[in-house]
Amino acid sequence: MLSGTHWIDTARQATTYRAGRVLPAGDAAHVYAPVGGQGLNVGIVDAANLGRKLAAVVCGWVGEDILDTYTTERHPVAARLLQNTRAQIALMRPDPQARALWEMFSDLMDLDDAHRYVADMLVGMHVRYDLGDDHRFVCTLCPDMKLTLERPDPDVVTAVTRSADLLREGRGLLPDLVDRAEARDAAAACPGRVNTVTARTDRVDVDALLIRPDGCVARALPTGQDLDATTLVRALGTWFGRPA
């Protein structure tokens, strides 16, 4: 018995991710060829991005306009993935032209910069939202950091955790990496919404980060720089609402 699969380009994307009270996510917002499970990964991050914003609106911490940022942040990511998967399908076509492209692409993948570019794109670490800040960490999804707690439980000799584990509660996170009390004090105005932790890490380019529950870095305090409390408070208010 012979069987076969007929592939067609069914890639498509909703024009907006908010139409009144309708906010599609996952396959309701975008559909791609099943290459590497990237569509599933993007759908999960869609849900993480939207879920906390919905919760903040329902709890009355922020206004409904924050839901518009779901489209502005996530729509370009899915559009880029649609382009990515279409390119991969094109390389898989069984014709001489596609084969020539594939061989050229394979040669490019031997270059470190090209390999890193494609790898970051496939795992989603190339994502950068427009939050009005040009710091290289801000607007990106924070890489998982190993953290050694400065003030662990008295009964614990050494406490080591990871930033991803500290985000599991669905709250924001402010890792204070060099004991900047003023940064922790600013976040203390949002109890129950932002967790703070004083910890050491191998990063030497930032003193503190404000990370949203979806893993996006909302603000960064560069090493040795004076804290702009107004900017940090504004970021806290935008993503976590008015002080309690």
Side-chain angles (χ1 to χ4, degrees), residues 57-195:
V57 172
V58 171
C59 291
W61 299 336
V62 298
E64 289 189 12
D65 57 341
I66 197 174
L67 299 178
D68 293 330
T69 66
Y70 174 50
T71 291
T72 58
E73 291 179 0
R74 296 303 300 166
H75 195 278
V77 174
R80 184 67 181 276
L81 180 53
L82 188 149
Q83 180 188 50
N84 161 7
T85 54
R86 278 180 167 165
Q88 292 187 64
I89 293 300
L91 290 173
M92 295 178 186
R93 290 173 181 160
D95 57 61
Q97 292 80 9
R99 186 61 188 175
L101 282 172
W102 173 256
E103 291 176 357
M104 181 180 293
F105 187 79
S106 295
D107 290 340
L108 290 174
M109 288 297 288
D110 290 333
L111 303 176
D112 288 343
D113 287 346
H115 186 274
R116 172 54 56 189
Y117 173 82
V118 173
D120 285 348
M121 179 174 59
L122 293 179
V123 301
M125 294 309 296
H126 72 299
V127 171
R128 186 178 186 92
Y129 303 142
D130 182 7
L131 302 184
D133 193 313
D134 59 2
H135 189 280
R136 70 188 190 93
F137 281 148
V138 177
C139 318
T140 67
L141 299 180
C142 184
D144 191 18
M145 298 183 295
K146 179 181 177 181
L147 301 172
T148 302
L149 303 186
E150 290 283 349
R151 298 172 183 173
D153 186 284
D155 297 328
V156 179
V157 176
T158 301
V160 178
T161 187
R162 306 202 69 89
S163 57
D165 293 332
L166 297 177
L167 288 167
R168 289 181 177 177
E169 295 182 12
R171 299 174 180 175
L173 177 66
L174 193 147
D176 169 21
L177 305 178
V178 292
D179 199 11
R180 297 287 296 264
E182 68 272 33
R184 299 195 306 273
D185 290 344
C190 296
R193 307 177 202 173
V194 179
N195 293 336

Side-chain angles (χ1 to χ4, degrees), residues 11-20 22-32 68 70-79 82:
R12 57 190 182 276
Q13 181 184 18
T15 56
T16 180
Y17 286 3
R18 186 186 183 196
V22 178
L23 298 115
D27 285 354
H30 42 70
V31 178
Y32 311 93
D68 293 330
Y70 174 50
T71 291
T72 58
E73 291 179 0
R74 296 303 300 166
H75 195 278
V77 174
L82 188 149

